[in-house]
Amino acid sequence: MHRLYFFIFSVFASVVGQAQDLSQKQAAEDLLYLKKELEAYHPGMYRYTGKDSIDWYFQTALDQIQEKDQIGFFASVSFLLNKLRCGHTQALLPEKDQRTFLENQLFIPLEIRAVNGKWFVFNASLTGDQLKSGDELVSVNGLKMDEIVRRIFEHQSADGYITTGRLRLTEQFFPYFYQLFVARGTTSFQVEVSSNIGLKTIVLPGVSYAKIRAMRRPFQQPPQLVLRHEASYSYMKINTFSSRALSDAGLNYERFLAESFRELKQKEAQTLVIDLRGNGGGDDNYGAALVAYLARNPFRYFERIEVTESYSGYGNIVREKGRRLMTSHKGLDEWKPEAQRFRGKVYVLIDGWSFSTCADVAAVLHHNEWATLVGEESGGGYDGNTSGSTRTLILPHSGLRVNLPMWMYTTANSGHPYHGRGVIPHHRVSYTLQQLMREEDAVMEKVKSLIK
């Protein structure tokens, strides 16, 4: 089962913590322990970055290590984990330290959005009349936005070379990331913006986390399983594959699928739009079950699941061609199309938040040409990912927690040309600034135009 260690949950925990001095020796011992455990249990450690390169990054960090506080050391660890290019391998500060950082820092009072490589003010409600939504943010405290975002990206865990998930994450949590990875301790922000009257520079005083939280609309949405029918199409929304989240919300996933596809057949629906935007993943078998209602012939969901020599957890393991392979996972079986499978035209909507199991679903549908995908590149890898059974490391001196996934999944799409990328939709949709400001659903509008 893929754990739902989606970006947002780790980030919220990561951006909080209090200063705690670590000696050079303690910091070095924590890094050595981290590397040893990763080598022992992470089967995808070298999936995208070669061993020589990973060794060089760790050795460089050890050679340059100095006495650090807790936040500085967290930045070093998150930088190293970024080099694994595994979205499920993330560091978190100890829970007991979570609140102090937020309480002691002042944050830039802006919500921003990315459009075609530029960054724009989306919500300026905390700046009075100094800035307006739609102003382009050019620089902060003398640093151009390109450089600021580059520094933030260096500390975010993501699958392969995918940037859409990191873009969406930076949009949602820019004030936190700026304070954590770019200019910790900053209390005021000199921002350069470009508007229809030209360039201007103003100084914004920092604000509390409580004000930032009140400014933003909540990110987390309750679990949704929705089917509704429009004049020319039926619309299905699944925003999580997490069995726990759905069960806690009183939703029965298997029943929803069975009843929904029975209803689609009874109504003789010809077009189905499945909205997987914002779906951070969940249970492998929930993903495969959805594909079975869309498949045109028997299919494999996973090609293989690999574990390391040190792994001794759940599953039957065999050795084959130098690999240790799991054989007992249902996702490795051949799946048959459901009797009530949908036989019409299928559109699947994805975005940078579509991660883990959700990206697996999109990859299998894309590879088998069972759906037309619309939106932006998924945040999860076309190759599969490393997730499933996970160890939680506690680094001995810093107390940092590291989620260390132990199953490397390879999706059943051998020979594809998308190594290190996400699922690239057939119809890519980029929002204009005006669409963002008006909060239009450009992806859904694109689908409607295709249905016509």
Side-chain angles (χ1 to χ4, degrees):
M1 178 177 75
H2 288 195
R3 296 285 183 89
L4 192 60
Y5 287 128
F6 189 37
F7 304 114
I8 185 64
F9 304 115
S10 62
V11 168
F12 179 78
S14 299
V15 296
V16 287
Q18 67 183 21
Q20 171 184 321
D21 289 339
L22 294 172
S23 70
Q24 182 179 15
K25 180 174 182 292
Q26 288 174 324
E29 288 177 351
D30 273 11
L31 289 186
L32 289 169
Y33 173 73
L34 172 63
K35 187 168 187 287
K36 177 177 69 70
E37 292 295 299
L38 288 170
E39 290 172 336
Y41 293 103
H42 196 304
M45 188 173 181
Y46 310 120
R47 189 173 201 165
Y48 300 111
T49 307
K51 184 179 187 305
D52 288 348
S53 294
I54 295 294
D55 289 345
W56 182 86
Y57 282 119
F58 269 90
Q59 190 58 53
T60 300
L62 288 165
D63 291 343
Q64 297 176 354
I65 205 157
Q66 300 173 354
E67 181 176 314
K68 290 181 178 287
D69 64 20
Q70 188 83 317
I71 302 299
F73 186 67
F74 170 78
S76 297
V77 170
S78 60
F79 176 86
L80 290 170
L81 295 182
N82 164 275
K83 304 309 174 189
L84 272 64
R85 300 186 179 276
C86 171
H88 290 80
T89 306
Q90 302 164 339
L92 307 107
L93 282 155
E95 292 182 5
K96 65 182 178 62
D97 298 331
Q98 288 184 355
R99 297 191 181 277
T100 305
F101 181 81
L102 290 179
E103 292 172 352
N104 291 346
Q105 298 289 311
L106 295 175
F107 300 88
I108 185 170
L110 295 175
E111 189 175 1
I112 65 176
R113 293 289 185 270
V115 179
N116 295 326
K118 296 182 178 180
W119 292 85
F120 295 88
V121 176
F122 182 71
N123 186 340
S125 60
L126 296 178
T127 70
D129 59 357
Q130 297 185 84
L131 294 177
K132 292 182 172 59
S133 296
D135 288 346
E136 182 188 348
L137 185 58
V138 178
S139 69
V140 180
N141 290 337
L143 272 184
K144 297 294 185 183
M145 281 301 296
D146 283 351
E147 175 61 17
I148 291 171
V149 173
R150 185 192 67 79
R151 294 187 188 187
I152 291 172
F153 276 17
E154 283 186 334
H155 297 273
Q156 293 177 345
S157 295
D159 286 351
Y161 314 103
I162 304 168
T163 61
T164 52
R166 290 187 282 185
L167 284 169
R168 302 291 82 80
L169 193 60
T170 300
E171 288 177 333
Q172 188 70 22
F173 293 100
F174 177 70
Y176 306 134
F177 287 132
Y178 180 86
Q179 203 71 1
L180 186 65
F181 297 128
V182 181
R184 179 158 51 105
T186 302
T187 58
S188 65
F189 306 87
Q190 179 177 293
V191 298
E192 182 184 13
V193 297
S194 175
S195 66
N196 55 8
I197 60 173
L199 286 172
K200 65 178 178 180
T201 301
I202 62 173
V203 176
L204 300 175
V207 301
S208 68
Y209 167 71
K211 289 185 176 180
I212 293 290
R213 183 171 56 186
M215 173 183 68
R216 285 195 327 250
R217 69 178 55 187
F219 170 76
Q220 290 177 259
Q221 300 296 319
Q224 294 181 39
L225 299 175
V226 174
L227 177 67
R228 69 172 187 263
H229 305 285
E230 306 292 343
S232 58
Y233 64 92
S234 296
Y235 173 88
M236 178 180 289
K237 175 67 177 178
I238 302 174
N239 72 346
T240 182
F241 290 114
S242 168
S243 57
R244 176 176 295 181
L246 291 167
S247 176
D248 289 349
L251 300 172
N252 186 307
Y253 178 77
E254 292 93 342
R255 184 188 305 149
F256 168 77
L257 290 185
E259 293 177 352
S260 294
F261 283 94
R262 186 181 306 117
E263 182 177 324
L264 288 164
K265 187 171 184 178
Q266 290 170 349
K267 288 184 174 291
E268 298 182 345
Q270 299 300 306
T271 303
L272 175 62
V273 178
I274 303 178
D275 193 345
L276 298 181
R277 292 175 295 177
N279 186 322
D283 288 32
D284 297 327
N285 294 333
Y286 276 19
L290 175 60
V291 174
Y293 279 99
L294 307 172
R296 298 171 191 168
N297 45 264
F299 66 96
R300 295 281 305 284
Y301 191 69
F302 295 127
E303 181 67 31
R304 61 181 180 273
I305 302 173
E306 300 174 52
V307 298
T308 65
E309 294 294 331
S310 299
Y311 176 79
S312 59
Y314 166 84
N316 298 324
I317 309 299
V318 300
R319 184 176 297 281
E320 183 179 308
K321 297 180 180 179
R323 298 184 175 117
R324 293 191 76 215
L325 302 177
M326 182 174 295
T327 62
S328 51
H329 193 291
K330 188 177 178 181
L332 297 165
D333 298 340
E334 181 179 80
W335 288 66
K336 295 181 179 180
E338 291 284 347
Q340 302 290 334
R341 73 177 181 87
F342 186 73
R343 298 171 184 270
K345 180 71 174 179
V346 179
Y347 294 91
V348 174
L349 314 186
I350 58 173
D351 63 7
W353 296 113
S354 302
F355 183 64
S356 195
T357 294
C358 182
D360 295 338
V361 169
V364 174
L365 292 174
H366 183 279
H367 180 72
N368 288 286
E369 300 181 347
W370 292 334
T372 298
L373 283 87
V374 185
E376 67 178 359
E377 182 176 359
S378 66
Y382 203 97
D383 299 300
N385 61 68
T386 305
S387 57
S389 181
T390 300
R391 289 170 64 90
T392 300
L393 304 182
I394 307 294
L395 303 191
H397 299 296
S398 63
L400 294 186
R401 292 172 293 149
V402 175
N403 295 325
L404 197 168
M406 297 187 291
W407 298 355
M408 186 172 78
Y409 296 81
T410 297
T411 312
N413 52 16
S414 299
H416 69 78
Y418 306 109
H419 178 66
R421 299 295 301 274
V423 181
I424 299 173
H426 300 92
H427 299 276
R428 301 177 79 161
V429 178
S430 298
Y431 280 76
T432 66
L433 179 60
Q434 291 72 27
Q435 288 170 328
L436 286 174
M437 293 298 106
R438 293 193 294 260
E439 299 190 39
E440 297 176 3
D441 190 342
V443 175
M444 197 64 220
E445 290 305 312
K446 177 63 177 180
V447 171
K448 290 178 183 178
S449 73
L450 294 171
I451 292 172
K452 292 177 184 178

